[in-house]
Each structure stands twice: as C-alpha cells, then as structure tokens.
Amino acid sequence: MQNITSRADLKNAIQLSEAEQTLRMNQLREQFYLTWNVFKPVNLITGTLSDIVKSPHLVENLAGTALGLVTGYLSKFLIIGQSGYGIRRLIGTLMQVGVTSLVAQNSGSIKTVGKSIFQHFFRKKEVNTEKL
C-alpha cells in the first residue's frame, strides 16, 4: 500500500475500498444464491434422477432386476397357483428367489436370446427374384 499523505488521497482510498467491498459483497451474494439453488431438495432430486437416467449401466441393471422379479413372481404363481399351503408355499418362495437371482444375473444373455428369437419369427421374408 501507498502512504497516504493528503486528505484527497485518503478520500480516494476510502472510495476505492468501498467500491471493492461492494463488488465483493455482490459476488458473495451471487455465489450464495447459486449454492442455495444447488442444495434445494427439488434440485438435488432432479440432479440425482438426471444422473440415474444418463447412466447406461444402472439402467441395464435396473431392467435386469425388474425382469428377474417378474419372472420370479410368474414362476411362483405357476408352482403354487391361486392357493398354496405349507411345503408347497415354501418351495414356491424358494423357486421365486432362485429364478429372480438367476434371471437378474444373466439378463444380458437372456435379452440376446429373446431378441434373436423375436427377429427369427418376425423378420421380413426375402423374395427370391431369380425365379421371376
């Protein structure tokens, strides 16, 4: 800092300090507003859901788990039916857990096989133009 020797220099230094303080206060307010918006619950949830949607591995795992749960419940329903008592209910629950974990762990290969079966049955038939 420079030595202040006159009243005019002192006045200029005070005005400069006040302007600098005002600028810093405005920057601090702006940063506080930005930080406040980031930590709002709505924005936290929105950001988290956006990250989930953008993550391809999480979506694949979620789809595999959902497929496993559905097949597990279907297998239990096929074993037990509408009502089940005692050992039959226990076997149905064990089968449900087993099928659910098996399908969830191998969902990629199951999707590949399902896609090839679907393409086999629903592909367009090629027309042989040589016979025409």
Side-chain angles (χ1 to χ4, degrees):
M1 283 203 99
Q2 300 173 356
N3 287 336
I4 298 174
T5 56
S6 68
R7 236 176 211 202
D9 289 342
L10 179 62
K11 201 176 216 181
N12 287 338
I14 290 172
Q15 287 177 349
L16 185 63
S17 293
E18 286 175 348
E20 192 174 306
Q21 181 183 10
T22 303
L23 178 66
R24 287 184 180 171
M25 184 59 90
N26 288 338
Q27 289 174 345
L28 182 64
R29 281 186 185 136
E30 187 176 322
Q31 186 61 42
F32 177 77
Y33 178 74
L34 291 173
T35 306
W36 178 262
N37 278 334
V38 167
F39 287 111
K40 281 183 180 177
V42 170
N43 293 338
L44 285 174
I45 292 170
T46 304
T48 303
L49 291 177
S50 171
D51 291 343
I52 288 172
V53 169
K54 290 178 184 175
S55 173
H57 299 294
L58 187 60
V59 172
E60 288 176 13
N61 289 342
L62 192 61
T65 303
L67 181 65
L69 287 172
V70 168
T71 55
Y73 281 116
L74 285 175
S75 66
K76 182 178 179 182
F77 180 74
L78 290 174
I79 296 295
I80 293 177
Q82 292 293 333
S83 63
Y85 297 104
I87 194 80
R88 193 170 181 192
R89 182 179 287 179
L90 178 65
I91 291 172
T93 302
L94 291 175
M95 181 124 183
Q96 176 187 359
V97 170
V99 169
T100 299
S101 64
L102 182 71
V103 171
Q105 290 172 357
N106 300 316
S107 63
S109 58
I110 292 172
K111 286 178 188 175
T112 304
V113 169
K115 186 184 268 186
S116 65
I117 291 171
F118 182 80
Q119 288 174 350
H120 177 71
F121 284 114
F122 295 108
R123 70 174 177 216
K124 292 183 178 180
K125 296 184 179 185
E126 296 177 12
V127 176
N128 194 353
T129 57
E130 293 176 8
K131 291 182 180 179
L132 296 175

